[in-house]
Amino acid sequence: MKIAVCAKQIPDPATPYSLDPETHFVVRPNDQVLDDTDRYGVEMALQLAEANDAEVVLVSMGPAGNLQGVRQALAMGADKAIVVDDEGLRGSGALVTAKVLAAAIQQEGGVDLVITGTESTDGYTGVVPQQIAALLGLPALSFARKVELDGTTLKVERISATGYDDVECPLPAVVAVTSGAVEPRYPTFKGIMAAKSKPVEQPTAADLGIAADAIGEAGSGQEITSVEDAPSRTAGTKIVDEGEAFQAIVELLEKAKVI
Amino acid sequence: MSTHAVRPGLVHPRDFLETDRLLDDQERLLRDTVRRFVDDKVLPNVAEWFEAGTYPREMAAEMGALGLFGMHLDGYGCAGTSNLEYGLACMELEAGDSGTRSFVSVQGSLVMFPIWAFGSEEQKQEWLPRMAAGEVIGCFGLTEADAGSDPGSMRTTARRDGDDWVLNGSKMWITNGNLADVAVVWAKAEEGIRGFVVPTDTPGFEAVEIHQKLSLRASVTSELVLNDVRLPAGAVLPGVVGLKGPLSCLNEARFGILFGAVGAGRACFEAALDYAGERVMFGKPIASFQLIQRQLAEMAATVNQGTLVSYQIGRMKDAGDIDPAHISMGKFANVRGALEVARTARSVLGANGITLEYPVIRHMNNLESVYTYEGTHEIHTLIIGQALTGIGAFE
Ligand SMILES: Cc1cc2nc3c(=O)[nH]c(=O)nc-3n(C[C@H](O)[C@H](O)[C@H](O)COP(=O)(O)OP(=O)(O)OC[C@H]3O[C@@H](n4cnc5c(N)ncnc54)[C@H](O)[C@@H]3O)c2cc1C
Ligand SMILES: Cc1cc2nc3c(=O)[nH]c(=O)nc-3n(C[C@H](O)[C@H](O)[C@H](O)COP(=O)(O)OP(=O)(O)OC[C@H]3O[C@@H](n4cnc5c(N)ncnc54)[C@H](O)[C@@H]3O)c2cc1C
């Protein structure tokens, strides 16, 4: 059995981001970290792999840098990584990202289960998993807070607005796990040392059979025309309690869909 | 608002001299892993442990799973990292608390190391894998109430009785004494000082916890009483006779401490830097006052110096070309520096600086122990003095 985990390397969220003033793209430092939300996907894959004797392959798109983020996932226990890094990919949107990831998964071959996060920390469109599923013609099980594998049936607790739904489908499939679904392990020191010698393939888009005009800003059919600072926060609403404040609070909470 | 004249991206307040550049990818990944572990498992709880004067035994299994115990030793379930990586782990652990770092130093450097270096194959097989996993906890008994800086004056004895050994005496200030399943005890035999591997359930062995400490409170410290403790012949460490046995262990542990102290200092500096930026007095953040800026500059310089000293000593140890005097200089300079940083940070935090809400006074008090144990500051001064002049001034 083979499990592919989509894992994104992002600039460390603890350090301030900067945008290239000309291209408006995020400046990607050489040092990137594994997106925190993908630690859950990696952990989920490792747990399923341990229970089902599977191989775990990481699939990532974006500037490889020194591969620190990918090594982090390899150190947790993944077996190998495919990192698609190509100058032409700069400025790719979510759909192009999904096409590249799907092509890498297809080229790897024999993948029974694709695991992703629900929404990345830096891009957070939250659409890549479903796009990958559509491109591969597989069912997409999203917002999974619990994932079980029963033979070749995937069983998922899918978070809904009011609770969760039990959803199942046959393999192969794509599942997007939520943050907190599992407790990601720390890479062990032995794992960290072993990560150095695990294979990392670095194909270009062309190696995956994707045409140069189908990727990047042009291929995404999008252009960043200008960038402005986010508006500064405005003062919040003050509720003065004259005995009825609870009602206003309940309404606000309902509006925010937290109750 | 504050007028940080920091050019964005060029100066990193938390790593001013970009010492990270001196580490390779693997070293940083390991360091970051320990940092995350400390953020998740130590920092949220340590103030409570400190106030209650306890250290939770359950932490041992988690630290063992990570690979922290005996991490720079080879085989027997140990991770086999470099010395520098061991140092980096100590730096992060002690940025959490000196008590957590002490736990790891004692287990790895003071108990596993002598078994690994001087033990028989049976002793290694019996103890090391379980200690690496954190299933078995160890302690190290060298100091006595009347034998501190001069361990050669110890009174604990080991007497041969047929094939057996019989130990009598007591040990004082023993970290993990009441948590330990096994103790490495140093005692005077006819031929000189010998090390013994003593299961703590051996009849005649007793650990008595020391209370009323105001330093290293999130760490257990005990007195060990040895009353006709009878051990089989296989309990003695066969590989070493004399003081160089325990001293080589201390050398290993001091190496970790010279990194650890920098971690404690860094945590204090960062707390002060954050606080100074937020605390408003006389209508401005206190970071805008020159006297506070001077304190921040002093702290930043000391932390960066300490980091550089430790990386250099780490590389020397990995190259296999290092003298104990080098390690003494690291402990001497870095612990003193960390203590100065802690006291300065304590002042920057004003009244908040004396509470456990902030890490500063906890580190400050802990560092008083670190200043004394593993060779007092004065003893390291004398070791450096002897190395500089060729003249010993110990007696
Ligand atoms: C201003 C701006 C600049 C950008 N610049 C660049 C750039 O220079 N280079 C570049 O490559 N991209 C760039 N992107 C693209 C962007 O960062 C995302 O990679 C892409 O749009 C995917 O969308 P998302 O992150 O919102 O994914 P989401 O749908 O929110 O992610 C869900 C899950 O999909 C998986 N996933 C998503 N993206 C990847 C990935 N790249 N690799 C592996 N798994 C993934 C992860 O498991 C993730 O948890 C830019 C986007 C913007 C808005
Ligand atoms: C929290 C804590 C945990 C500890 N854990 C352990 C442990 O696990 N195992 C263990 O064996 N020990 C442990 N110790 C003991 C520690 O190693 C000793 O306290 C240390 O060696 C100093 O000994 P002492 O306290 O007897 O001080 P003393 O040796 O009595 O020293 C008192 C003062 O005299 C100075 N002095 C002594 N000799 C000289 C000299 N020749 N010239 C100049 N000045 C001198 C010292 O520097 C010091 O300032 C621990 C101590 C503490 C505080």
Side-chain angles (χ1 to χ4, degrees):
Chain A
M1 188 182 171
K2 197 185 277 188
I3 303 175
V5 190
C6 295
K8 192 175 181 181
Q9 300 194 109
I10 63 171
D12 188 345
T15 56
Y17 279 44
S18 57
L19 296 182
D20 182 318
E22 298 224 329
T23 62
H24 300 313
F25 295 149
V26 177
V27 178
R28 302 282 193 116
N30 198 35
D31 245 342
Q32 298 184 97
V33 298
L34 175 65
D35 188 344
D36 223 45
T37 58
D38 284 330
R39 287 167 63 223
Y40 301 96
V42 173
E43 177 63 35
M44 185 66 83
L46 293 173
Q47 288 185 10
L48 292 172
E50 279 155 14
N52 297 280
D53 194 23
E55 183 190 3
V56 175
V57 180
L58 303 167
V59 185
S60 189
M61 185 200 103
N66 57 19
L67 290 170
Q68 188 82 337
V70 168
R71 295 260 180 245
Q72 206 178 321
L74 290 170
M76 286 172 76
D79 298 293
K80 72 169 205 176
I82 303 166
V83 181
V84 190
D85 179 8
D86 188 324
E87 192 47 29
L89 286 167
R90 267 163 58 99
S92 296
L95 185 56
V96 171
T97 303
K99 280 181 184 162
V100 171
L101 294 173
I105 291 164
Q106 222 150 20
Q107 176 146 322
E108 169 66 20
V111 173
D112 304 282
L113 178 62
V114 178
I115 299 182
T116 71
T118 289
E119 173 176 299
S120 73
T121 302
D122 64 340
Y124 57 91
T125 61
V127 295
V128 169
Q130 294 78 355
Q131 291 171 333
I132 294 174
L135 288 161
L136 295 174
L138 300 178
L141 273 46
S142 53
F143 297 107
R145 68 166 200 188
K146 192 168 171 213
V147 179
E148 258 177 87
L149 207 51
D150 186 358
T152 56
T153 306
L154 187 67
K155 296 182 174 174
V156 159
E157 286 183 12
R158 181 182 196 276
I159 297 179
S160 67
T162 50
Y164 70 90
D165 299 327
D166 283 313
V167 186
E168 55 177 73
C169 74
L171 291 184
V174 177
V175 61
V177 300
T178 53
S179 295
V182 280
E183 193 185 336
R185 66 194 65 188
Y186 301 98
T188 65
F189 296 168
K190 282 183 189 161
I192 289 171
M193 289 187 291
K196 229 182 357 196
S197 44
K198 287 183 178 173
V200 180
E201 293 168 20
Q202 296 193 52
T204 60
D207 293 337
L208 298 174
I210 302 174
D213 60 0
I215 58 173
E217 216 175 357
S220 303
Q222 64 182 29
E223 191 188 345
I224 304 167
T225 50
S226 74
V227 172
E228 269 159 62
D229 285 340
S232 53
R233 271 191 280 174
T234 50
T237 327
K238 258 191 198 150
I239 302 168
V240 183
D241 187 12
E242 285 161 353
E244 303 293 314
F246 68 93
Q247 242 163 357
I249 293 170
V250 168
E251 272 166 36
L252 279 172
L253 292 175
E254 276 175 348
K255 224 171 113 189
K257 291 202 168 134
V258 288
I259 56 172
Chain B
M1 259 310 292
S2 74
T3 49
H4 272 236
V6 172
R7 285 182 291 167
L10 286 185
V11 172
H12 306 288
R14 275 149 217 268
D15 183 18
F16 205 90
L17 295 177
E18 294 178 28
T19 55
D20 260 20
R21 288 198 219 167
L22 300 172
L23 303 177
D24 69 23
D25 295 347
Q26 178 178 311
E27 289 158 351
R28 274 178 299 137
L29 181 52
L30 188 143
R31 189 266 318 265
D32 293 346
T33 300
V34 182
R35 188 175 289 184
R36 187 190 282 269
F37 176 80
V38 168
D39 284 348
D40 293 348
K41 307 279 171 160
V42 178
L43 288 175
N45 307 311
V46 67
E48 255 170 62
W49 303 339
F50 192 95
E51 182 138 88
T54 56
Y55 192 79
R57 196 193 153 102
E58 310 81 76
M59 286 291 289
E62 297 201 48
M63 294 194 285
L66 208 57
L68 277 167
F69 297 137
M71 60 186 276
H72 61 309
L73 305 179
D74 276 326
Y76 305 100
C78 303
T81 68
S82 68
N83 289 286
L84 178 63
E85 286 167 330
Y86 170 51
L88 293 170
C90 288
M91 194 180 276
E92 295 312 315
L93 292 169
E94 197 147 355
D97 192 73
S98 302
T100 299
R101 200 270 307 133
S102 296
F103 194 103
V104 171
S105 296
V106 168
Q107 180 90 348
S109 287
L110 295 182
V111 185
M112 293 173 73
F113 174 77
I115 296 173
W116 180 85
F118 310 123
S120 64
E121 191 53 37
E122 294 73 42
Q123 289 168 335
K124 294 180 198 186
Q125 298 284 1
E126 182 176 2
W127 298 107
L128 293 179
R130 287 187 295 153
M131 293 197 75
E135 287 161 20
V136 163
I137 296 175
C139 70
F140 173 87
L142 176 66
T143 306
E144 299 179 0
D146 295 324
S149 297
D150 179 16
S153 65
M154 71 171 63
R155 296 214 194 105
T156 299
T157 57
R159 179 171 52 82
R160 256 185 238 268
D161 184 32
D163 277 350
D164 291 350
W165 289 91
V166 179
L167 267 52
N168 274 291
S170 68
K171 296 288 171 182
M172 194 62 182
W173 306 115
I174 306 308
T175 303
N176 287 353
N178 279 76
L179 294 176
D181 307 294
V182 63
V184 166
V185 174
W186 301 93
K188 248 182 194 153
E190 220 166 76
E191 65 271 29
I193 288 173
R194 306 286 316 247
F196 296 87
V197 184
V198 187
T200 56
D201 58 5
T202 310
F205 182 101
E206 196 194 348
V208 185
E209 190 164 347
I210 299 173
H211 293 289
Q212 300 192 324
K213 282 185 305 171
L214 292 177
S215 172
L216 273 188
R217 287 184 55 76
S219 171
V220 172
T221 318
S222 314
E223 180 184 2
L224 306 183
V225 182
L226 304 143
N227 203 345
D228 282 332
V229 173
R230 181 171 289 273
L231 300 166
V236 72
L237 292 173
V240 72
V241 180
L243 258 189
K244 75 168 188 290
L247 292 186
S248 63
C249 302
L250 293 175
N251 208 44
E252 289 294 304
R254 286 164 186 170
F255 173 80
I257 289 172
L258 74 90
F259 283 77
V262 180
R266 188 189 77 211
C268 292
F269 161 64
E270 289 180 356
L273 183 65
D274 290 344
Y275 191 85
E278 284 159 16
R279 177 71 174 171
V280 175
M281 227 8 83
F282 296 97
K284 293 184 197 162
I286 60 170
S288 40
F289 303 126
Q290 289 182 344
L291 289 177
I292 298 285
Q293 290 199 357
R294 174 177 175 180
Q295 289 172 321
L296 295 174
E298 298 274 9
M299 287 189 280
T302 305
V303 170
N304 276 273
Q305 285 167 346
T307 307
L308 292 169
V309 164
S310 44
Y311 290 2
Q312 168 67 0
I313 293 175
R315 297 276 181 229
M316 287 168 76
K317 192 158 191 291
D318 278 327
D321 195 10
I322 190 161
D323 186 88
H326 293 126
I327 293 176
S328 285
M329 180 168 277
K331 199 228 174 211
F332 165 90
N334 287 3
V335 178
R336 178 187 60 192
L339 202 44
E340 280 167 10
V341 168
R343 288 172 181 153
T344 308
R346 220 292 305 140
S347 154
V348 170
L349 266 73
N352 279 319
I354 71 155
T355 70
L356 285 174
E357 282 282 299
Y358 294 87
V360 176
I361 199 160
R362 178 167 52 74
H363 283 303
M364 189 182 107
N365 280 8
N366 283 341
L367 286 166
E368 294 291 349
S369 290
V370 180
Y371 196 71
T372 289
Y373 70 24
E374 298 289 343
T376 68
H377 190 69
E378 290 72 24
I379 292 298
H380 288 295
T381 312
L382 296 175
I383 293 171
I384 297 168
Q386 183 178 32
L388 290 172
T389 64
I391 306 167
F394 298 92
E395 291 161 17

